DNA sequence: AATTTTTTTGACCGATTGGAAAAATTCTAG
DNA sequence: CTAGAATTTTTCCAATCGGTCAAAAAAATT
């Protein structure tokens, strides 16, 4: 006798597949139109099934959205967690930037979904920002401050440093259309991420002041 | 005999006022939920009037959205237009950054509405990006390149430099909730923009490499 | 093959959506 | 004050929204 008749968590092969299919389609839709701007019909069509069929696997729109968002939050913080206090400061920061940039390249929809949530005021995970995220950033800001005290990197506000890394890297996912439009066909190809990596290395290491 | 019975463009005092009132309310709503996620009812309520009354002034949702977006586009490009090829390179770039940062501080809703449009792929002003915006950026990138050739600023990709300025400054409007959450009550007050300005000056001038 | 379970479909529901139409009201100019 | 214009409200509509339900179809189990 099964105590769980709901297909809540994937059990059978087909359930696992459809769950993944739906989440994939939902990521596509949610990342473009945000939660309110997306419809279940849209997601169902993108997943190649009917709306009632989709609702057999996820019993509400929120139930589709929540797990996607939760997974993104974890993925998003991982690179920062990996920043090692015992490593060489400049290479640590550089590789953090590189990792974040790779995420914008490889998971642009995730980045846009996250941005969409921010734009509407992050309802529902306001708490996560104020606790989990803040604690992590506080910790890493302290690490960076330590590096500054050792004279390993220039003095600056570590919080705004982290913001600037987030901003510059996520820009290539969130404003992808603009970036590609401005770069044009010549420079707008896949090579743009390597160009961006090179530029960000220069910016964060040396800034714009010319070497004399 | 009036040839224009439609209150398309404001004519009377009351029309000018209501137009402005509606656009103001719509900016609030659109900037949070995007075009698709916003409803006319929401905007009407925010403007303190009934939906049919609002539709007397703007005959469709698109008709409210379009002028707002058009105005933002112009406002957004103005600071870049003001970057003067004959000025001192580093101060020119610094004041461009400062101006953009002030816009994030003073017009955060405009920034978020713009970001929302980008996220959904900028339908409707794709052309503007590929022509007007691209031309302006091309022009300014050439100016920056000239500065590099004169040895006035360090060599780097001028396009990605502009992107990084856009990204770092707009971040404070678009991700405002996250920024304030991470900074906490102590550092998250209005002073955060001055802190950001100081940090960005450091970053874009000198980067992170410590002075020896 | 028969039965049970899982998956899919179609028909439907009340609420909300963008918007139209017309009546009712308010304002304004003569 | 009154006629005409401008503004607002009331009522309404078809389409779409998120979601339910029962029946049909397909799989899995026996």
């Amino acid at each position: 006798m099964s105590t769980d008749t709901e297909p809540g968590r994937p059990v059978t092969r087909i359930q696992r597949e459809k769950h993944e299919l739906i989440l994939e389609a939902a990521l596509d839709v949610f990342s473009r139109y945000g939660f309110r701007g997306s419809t279940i019909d849209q997601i169902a069509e993108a997943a190649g099934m009917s709306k009632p069929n989709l609702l057999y696997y996820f019993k509400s729109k929120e139930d589709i959205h929540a797990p996607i968002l939760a997974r993104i939050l974890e993925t998003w913080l991982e690179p920062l967690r990996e920043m090692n206090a015992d490593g060489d400061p400049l290479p640590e920061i550089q590789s953090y930037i590189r990792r974040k940039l790779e995420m914008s390249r490889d998971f642009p929809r995730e980045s846009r979904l996250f941005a969409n949530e921010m734009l509407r005021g992050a309802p529902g995970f306001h708490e996560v920002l104020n606790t989990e995220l803040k604690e992590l950033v506080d910790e890493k800001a302290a690490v960076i401050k330590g590096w500054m005290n050792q004279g390993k990197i220039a003095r600056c506000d570590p919080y705004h440093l982290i913001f600037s890394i987030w901003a510059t890297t996520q820009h290539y996912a969130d404003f992808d259309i603009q970036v590609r439009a401005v770069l044009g066909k010549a420079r707008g190809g896949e090579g743009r991420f390597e160009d961006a990596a090179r530029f960000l290395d220069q910016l964060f290491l040396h800034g714009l002041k010319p070497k004399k």
Side-chain angles (χ1 to χ4, degrees), chain A:
Chain A
M1 178 170 76
S2 143
T3 55
D4 186 15
T5 51
E6 301 243 341
R9 306 277 147 236
V11 182
T12 69
R13 171 190 53 90
I14 194 163
Q15 275 178 10
R16 263 191 304 275
E17 285 175 4
K18 298 275 164 154
H19 264 257
E20 204 44 53
L21 186 67
I22 291 167
L23 291 175
E24 168 72 16
L27 175 59
D28 232 76
V29 176
F30 281 139
S31 68
R32 263 204 277 278
Y33 303 106
F35 182 76
R36 289 211 39 175
S38 301
T39 73
I40 299 182
D41 280 295
Q42 241 179 320
I43 299 169
E45 197 194 333
M49 63 179 68
S50 67
K51 180 171 60 172
N53 194 184
L54 183 150
L55 285 166
Y56 168 73
Y57 293 101
F58 294 88
K59 68 173 189 292
S60 74
K61 191 176 164 183
E62 182 60 46
D63 277 11
I64 315 171
H65 190 256
I68 298 179
L69 191 56
R71 199 173 48 148
I72 290 179
L73 270 172
E74 277 318 297
T75 313
W76 240 228
L77 295 182
E78 214 186 280
L80 184 56
R81 285 213 177 86
E82 284 177 15
M83 200 168 71
N84 183 8
D86 300 326
D88 252 354
L90 284 177
E92 280 296 325
I93 291 173
Q94 272 181 293
S95 81
Y96 176 50
I97 293 171
R98 205 179 322 118
R99 263 192 282 262
K100 283 289 289 176
L101 194 57
E102 279 163 9
M103 288 184 57
S104 280
R105 182 193 61 195
D106 299 335
F107 309 106
R109 295 173 306 173
E110 282 83 349
S111 182
R112 286 193 283 266
L113 176 43
F114 187 76
N116 248 313
E117 285 304 299
M118 287 292 158
L119 288 176
R120 63 171 182 143
F125 68 107
H126 221 123
E127 274 187 44
V128 182
L129 296 184
N130 282 293
T131 59
E132 199 178 342
L133 175 66
K134 177 166 171 41
E135 281 163 29
L136 175 62
V137 176
D138 279 342
E139 178 199 324
K140 297 304 181 180
V143 167
I144 293 171
K145 206 117 204 175
W147 290 341
M148 291 175 190
N149 289 335
Q150 294 169 16
K152 298 289 188 76
I153 63 172
R155 275 198 188 286
C156 64
D157 188 314
Y159 291 92
H160 292 277
L161 170 57
I162 291 174
F163 293 154
S164 69
I165 294 175
W166 289 348
T168 49
T169 54
Q170 290 170 10
H171 188 80
Y172 291 96
D174 302 344
F175 289 72
D176 179 58
I177 299 96
Q178 196 184 38
V179 166
R180 290 216 314 272
V182 166
L183 291 180
K185 277 163 195 162
R187 295 170 166 272
E190 279 307 312
R192 68 187 186 277
F193 283 99
E194 286 153 39
D195 293 342
R198 247 191 308 277
F199 167 79
L200 292 178
D201 267 0
Q202 157 79 26
L203 174 65
F204 280 91
L205 275 186
H206 307 292
L208 296 177
K209 206 150 199 183
K211 308 188 167 186
K212 272 296 153 53

